[in-house]
Amino acid sequence: MKKFNTLYVSKWADGKPEDTRIIETPTYSLHSMIAGDACERTELIADYCTEHEIHSLVLCPGFTHDMVAELSRALKGRTAVAVSRTDAPGSSITAPVKREARKGLQE
């Protein structure tokens, strides 16, 4: 049976792409990657999409327009590319928590 495969990539400094996790049902696979500095390397993400037959790539809000375009080109139309965004109230909830968590990276 064919599965629909999605990869969600989060850009976080201490992330390790090799620690990607997969949650599956009989018809759906959700791959979750915390890519860290590897986000600067589209090849890593594009290769993962090809290897795992990813149909939909969802990027966290930290990806720039240029990075999204580069990934889209690298995937050559084989994978849909989307970017996760939040509403204004959501940003006010997440921003302080992210700032606090990033302080731990500098220690």
Side-chain angles (χ1 to χ4, degrees), residues 78-99:
R78 294 185 305 262
T79 302
V81 180
V83 181
S84 171
R85 297 286 186 236
T86 187
D87 58 1
S91 294
S92 66
I93 294 166
T94 60
V97 178
K98 286 180 177 181
R99 273 193 300 275

PDB file of all heavy atoms in Angstrom, residues 78-99:
ATOM      1  N   ARG A  78       9.502  17.196  -7.499  1.00  0.00           N
ATOM      2  CA  ARG A  78       9.139  15.871  -6.975  1.00  0.00           C
ATOM      3  C   ARG A  78       8.462  15.938  -5.618  1.00  0.00           C
ATOM      4  O   ARG A  78       7.811  14.988  -5.198  1.00  0.00           O
ATOM      5  CB  ARG A  78      10.379  14.983  -6.878  1.00  0.00           C
ATOM      6  CG  ARG A  78      11.008  14.626  -8.212  1.00  0.00           C
ATOM      7  CD  ARG A  78      12.156  13.646  -8.025  1.00  0.00           C
ATOM      8  NE  ARG A  78      13.149  14.134  -7.083  1.00  0.00           N
ATOM      9  CZ  ARG A  78      14.281  14.742  -7.412  1.00  0.00           C
ATOM     10  NH1 ARG A  78      14.571  14.958  -8.664  1.00  0.00           N
ATOM     11  NH2 ARG A  78      15.133  15.130  -6.487  1.00  0.00           N
ATOM     12  N   THR A  79       8.643  17.052  -4.906  1.00  0.00           N
ATOM     13  CA  THR A  79       8.122  17.205  -3.548  1.00  0.00           C
ATOM     14  C   THR A  79       7.516  18.594  -3.416  1.00  0.00           C
ATOM     15  O   THR A  79       8.127  19.580  -3.823  1.00  0.00           O
ATOM     16  CB  THR A  79       9.267  17.056  -2.518  1.00  0.00           C
ATOM     17  OG1 THR A  79       9.881  15.769  -2.690  1.00  0.00           O
ATOM     18  CG2 THR A  79       8.773  17.182  -1.093  1.00  0.00           C
ATOM     19  N   ALA A  80       6.325  18.650  -2.818  1.00  0.00           N
ATOM     20  CA  ALA A  80       5.704  19.950  -2.537  1.00  0.00           C
ATOM     21  C   ALA A  80       6.458  20.596  -1.382  1.00  0.00           C
ATOM     22  O   ALA A  80       6.819  19.923  -0.416  1.00  0.00           O
ATOM     23  CB  ALA A  80       4.243  19.758  -2.157  1.00  0.00           C
ATOM     24  N   VAL A  81       6.712  21.898  -1.477  1.00  0.00           N
ATOM     25  CA  VAL A  81       7.450  22.619  -0.440  1.00  0.00           C
ATOM     26  C   VAL A  81       6.522  23.658   0.189  1.00  0.00           C
ATOM     27  O   VAL A  81       5.955  24.490  -0.522  1.00  0.00           O
ATOM     28  CB  VAL A  81       8.712  23.306  -1.001  1.00  0.00           C
ATOM     29  CG1 VAL A  81       9.458  24.053   0.090  1.00  0.00           C
ATOM     30  CG2 VAL A  81       9.620  22.283  -1.675  1.00  0.00           C
ATOM     31  N   ALA A  82       6.377  23.591   1.515  1.00  0.00           N
ATOM     32  CA  ALA A  82       5.530  24.538   2.252  1.00  0.00           C
ATOM     33  C   ALA A  82       6.328  25.082   3.429  1.00  0.00           C
ATOM     34  O   ALA A  82       7.283  24.461   3.892  1.00  0.00           O
ATOM     35  CB  ALA A  82       4.270  23.845   2.753  1.00  0.00           C
ATOM     36  N   VAL A  83       5.908  26.244   3.907  1.00  0.00           N
ATOM     37  CA  VAL A  83       6.554  26.856   5.064  1.00  0.00           C
ATOM     38  C   VAL A  83       5.504  27.074   6.147  1.00  0.00           C
ATOM     39  O   VAL A  83       4.445  27.623   5.876  1.00  0.00           O
ATOM     40  CB  VAL A  83       7.228  28.193   4.703  1.00  0.00           C
ATOM     41  CG1 VAL A  83       7.920  28.798   5.916  1.00  0.00           C
ATOM     42  CG2 VAL A  83       8.215  27.995   3.567  1.00  0.00           C
ATOM     43  N   SER A  84       5.816  26.632   7.335  1.00  0.00           N
ATOM     44  CA  SER A  84       4.921  26.816   8.467  1.00  0.00           C
ATOM     45  C   SER A  84       5.010  28.255   8.966  1.00  0.00           C
ATOM     46  O   SER A  84       6.099  28.803   9.093  1.00  0.00           O
ATOM     47  CB  SER A  84       5.362  25.848   9.580  1.00  0.00           C
ATOM     48  OG  SER A  84       4.670  26.108  10.755  1.00  0.00           O
ATOM     49  N   ARG A  85       3.886  28.860   9.212  1.00  0.00           N
ATOM     50  CA  ARG A  85       3.841  30.222   9.746  1.00  0.00           C
ATOM     51  C   ARG A  85       2.887  30.249  10.926  1.00  0.00           C
ATOM     52  O   ARG A  85       2.009  29.409  11.053  1.00  0.00           O
ATOM     53  CB  ARG A  85       3.371  31.222   8.680  1.00  0.00           C
ATOM     54  CG  ARG A  85       4.295  31.327   7.483  1.00  0.00           C
ATOM     55  CD  ARG A  85       5.572  32.088   7.834  1.00  0.00           C
ATOM     56  NE  ARG A  85       6.390  32.295   6.649  1.00  0.00           N
ATOM     57  CZ  ARG A  85       7.636  31.908   6.552  1.00  0.00           C
ATOM     58  NH1 ARG A  85       8.231  31.284   7.545  1.00  0.00           N
ATOM     59  NH2 ARG A  85       8.330  32.151   5.462  1.00  0.00           N
ATOM     60  N   THR A  86       3.013  31.252  11.765  1.00  0.00           N
ATOM     61  CA  THR A  86       2.118  31.390  12.907  1.00  0.00           C
ATOM     62  C   THR A  86       1.424  32.742  12.840  1.00  0.00           C
ATOM     63  O   THR A  86       1.871  33.647  12.139  1.00  0.00           O
ATOM     64  CB  THR A  86       2.898  31.225  14.237  1.00  0.00           C
ATOM     65  OG1 THR A  86       1.968  31.198  15.308  1.00  0.00           O
ATOM     66  CG2 THR A  86       3.890  32.333  14.448  1.00  0.00           C
ATOM     67  N   ASP A  87       0.343  32.862  13.560  1.00  0.00           N
ATOM     68  CA  ASP A  87      -0.351  34.141  13.616  1.00  0.00           C
ATOM     69  C   ASP A  87       0.352  35.053  14.628  1.00  0.00           C
ATOM     70  O   ASP A  87       1.236  34.616  15.366  1.00  0.00           O
ATOM     71  CB  ASP A  87      -1.823  33.951  13.982  1.00  0.00           C
ATOM     72  CG  ASP A  87      -2.019  33.239  15.316  1.00  0.00           C
ATOM     73  OD1 ASP A  87      -1.011  32.902  15.987  1.00  0.00           O
ATOM     74  OD2 ASP A  87      -3.172  33.026  15.699  1.00  0.00           O
ATOM     75  N   ALA A  88      -0.037  36.308  14.662  1.00  0.00           N
ATOM     76  CA  ALA A  88       0.611  37.270  15.565  1.00  0.00           C
ATOM     77  C   ALA A  88       0.514  36.854  17.037  1.00  0.00           C
ATOM     78  O   ALA A  88       1.519  36.891  17.751  1.00  0.00           O
ATOM     79  CB  ALA A  88       0.033  38.664  15.353  1.00  0.00           C
ATOM     80  N   PRO A  89      -0.645  36.418  17.530  1.00  0.00           N
ATOM     81  CA  PRO A  89      -0.686  35.968  18.928  1.00  0.00           C
ATOM     82  C   PRO A  89       0.240  34.774  19.179  1.00  0.00           C
ATOM     83  O   PRO A  89       0.860  34.667  20.232  1.00  0.00           O
ATOM     84  CB  PRO A  89      -2.151  35.586  19.147  1.00  0.00           C
ATOM     85  CG  PRO A  89      -2.908  36.348  18.123  1.00  0.00           C
ATOM     86  CD  PRO A  89      -1.982  36.440  16.931  1.00  0.00           C
ATOM     87  N   GLY A  90       0.341  33.897  18.192  1.00  0.00           N
ATOM     88  CA  GLY A  90       1.211  32.729  18.346  1.00  0.00           C
ATOM     89  C   GLY A  90       2.669  33.123  18.480  1.00  0.00           C
ATOM     90  O   GLY A  90       3.419  32.552  19.272  1.00  0.00           O
ATOM     91  N   SER A  91       3.090  34.110  17.717  1.00  0.00           N
ATOM     92  CA  SER A  91       4.469  34.587  17.796  1.00  0.00           C
ATOM     93  C   SER A  91       4.786  35.147  19.175  1.00  0.00           C
ATOM     94  O   SER A  91       5.885  34.945  19.703  1.00  0.00           O
ATOM     95  CB  SER A  91       4.729  35.661  16.739  1.00  0.00           C
ATOM     96  OG  SER A  91       4.647  35.106  15.460  1.00  0.00           O
ATOM     97  N   SER A  92       3.837  35.833  19.771  1.00  0.00           N
ATOM     98  CA  SER A  92       4.086  36.391  21.103  1.00  0.00           C
ATOM     99  C   SER A  92       4.160  35.299  22.168  1.00  0.00           C
ATOM    100  O   SER A  92       4.763  35.497  23.216  1.00  0.00           O
ATOM    101  CB  SER A  92       3.016  37.427  21.469  1.00  0.00           C
ATOM    102  OG  SER A  92       1.754  36.808  21.611  1.00  0.00           O
ATOM    103  N   ILE A  93       3.597  34.144  21.879  1.00  0.00           N
ATOM    104  CA  ILE A  93       3.686  33.010  22.805  1.00  0.00           C
ATOM    105  C   ILE A  93       5.020  32.300  22.636  1.00  0.00           C
ATOM    106  O   ILE A  93       5.704  31.979  23.611  1.00  0.00           O
ATOM    107  CB  ILE A  93       2.529  32.017  22.557  1.00  0.00           C
ATOM    108  CG1 ILE A  93       1.194  32.673  22.921  1.00  0.00           C
ATOM    109  CG2 ILE A  93       2.740  30.724  23.337  1.00  0.00           C
ATOM    110  CD1 ILE A  93      -0.022  31.912  22.415  1.00  0.00           C
ATOM    111  N   THR A  94       5.422  32.049  21.390  1.00  0.00           N
ATOM    112  CA  THR A  94       6.616  31.242  21.148  1.00  0.00           C
ATOM    113  C   THR A  94       7.933  32.004  21.259  1.00  0.00           C
ATOM    114  O   THR A  94       8.938  31.433  21.674  1.00  0.00           O
ATOM    115  CB  THR A  94       6.549  30.573  19.763  1.00  0.00           C
ATOM    116  OG1 THR A  94       6.461  31.581  18.745  1.00  0.00           O
ATOM    117  CG2 THR A  94       5.366  29.625  19.665  1.00  0.00           C
ATOM    118  N   ALA A  95       7.946  33.274  20.880  1.00  0.00           N
ATOM    119  CA  ALA A  95       9.204  34.040  20.857  1.00  0.00           C
ATOM    120  C   ALA A  95       9.915  34.067  22.205  1.00  0.00           C
ATOM    121  O   ALA A  95      11.120  33.784  22.266  1.00  0.00           O
ATOM    122  CB  ALA A  95       8.966  35.449  20.337  1.00  0.00           C
ATOM    123  N   PRO A  96       9.251  34.376  23.323  1.00  0.00           N
ATOM    124  CA  PRO A  96       9.970  34.404  24.602  1.00  0.00           C
ATOM    125  C   PRO A  96      10.506  33.019  25.005  1.00  0.00           C
ATOM    126  O   PRO A  96      11.594  32.911  25.568  1.00  0.00           O
ATOM    127  CB  PRO A  96       8.928  34.882  25.611  1.00  0.00           C
ATOM    128  CG  PRO A  96       7.759  35.359  24.847  1.00  0.00           C
ATOM    129  CD  PRO A  96       7.874  34.815  23.466  1.00  0.00           C
ATOM    130  N   VAL A  97       9.757  31.987  24.692  1.00  0.00           N
ATOM    131  CA  VAL A  97      10.204  30.631  25.041  1.00  0.00           C
ATOM    132  C   VAL A  97      11.431  30.256  24.217  1.00  0.00           C
ATOM    133  O   VAL A  97      12.393  29.685  24.747  1.00  0.00           O
ATOM    134  CB  VAL A  97       9.061  29.614  24.838  1.00  0.00           C
ATOM    135  CG1 VAL A  97       9.537  28.207  25.152  1.00  0.00           C
ATOM    136  CG2 VAL A  97       7.849  29.977  25.682  1.00  0.00           C
ATOM    137  N   LYS A  98      11.413  30.593  22.936  1.00  0.00           N
ATOM    138  CA  LYS A  98      12.578  30.313  22.084  1.00  0.00           C
ATOM    139  C   LYS A  98      13.810  31.077  22.567  1.00  0.00           C
ATOM    140  O   LYS A  98      14.909  30.521  22.608  1.00  0.00           O
ATOM    141  CB  LYS A  98      12.281  30.683  20.627  1.00  0.00           C
ATOM    142  CG  LYS A  98      11.363  29.725  19.933  1.00  0.00           C
ATOM    143  CD  LYS A  98      11.149  30.180  18.501  1.00  0.00           C
ATOM    144  CE  LYS A  98      10.301  29.213  17.725  1.00  0.00           C
ATOM    145  NZ  LYS A  98      10.122  29.648  16.335  1.00  0.00           N
ATOM    146  N   ARG A  99      13.632  32.346  22.914  1.00  0.00           N
ATOM    147  CA  ARG A  99      14.772  33.134  23.421  1.00  0.00           C
ATOM    148  C   ARG A  99      15.365  32.481  24.659  1.00  0.00           C
ATOM    149  O   ARG A  99      16.592  32.352  24.790  1.00  0.00           O
ATOM    150  CB  ARG A  99      14.327  34.563  23.741  1.00  0.00           C
ATOM    151  CG  ARG A  99      14.377  35.498  22.571  1.00  0.00           C
ATOM    152  CD  ARG A  99      14.248  36.964  22.987  1.00  0.00           C
ATOM    153  NE  ARG A  99      13.001  37.247  23.681  1.00  0.00           N
ATOM    154  CZ  ARG A  99      11.846  37.535  23.090  1.00  0.00           C
ATOM    155  NH1 ARG A  99      11.776  37.571  21.778  1.00  0.00           N
ATOM    156  NH2 ARG A  99      10.767  37.792  23.794  1.00  0.00           N
TER     157      ARG A  99
END
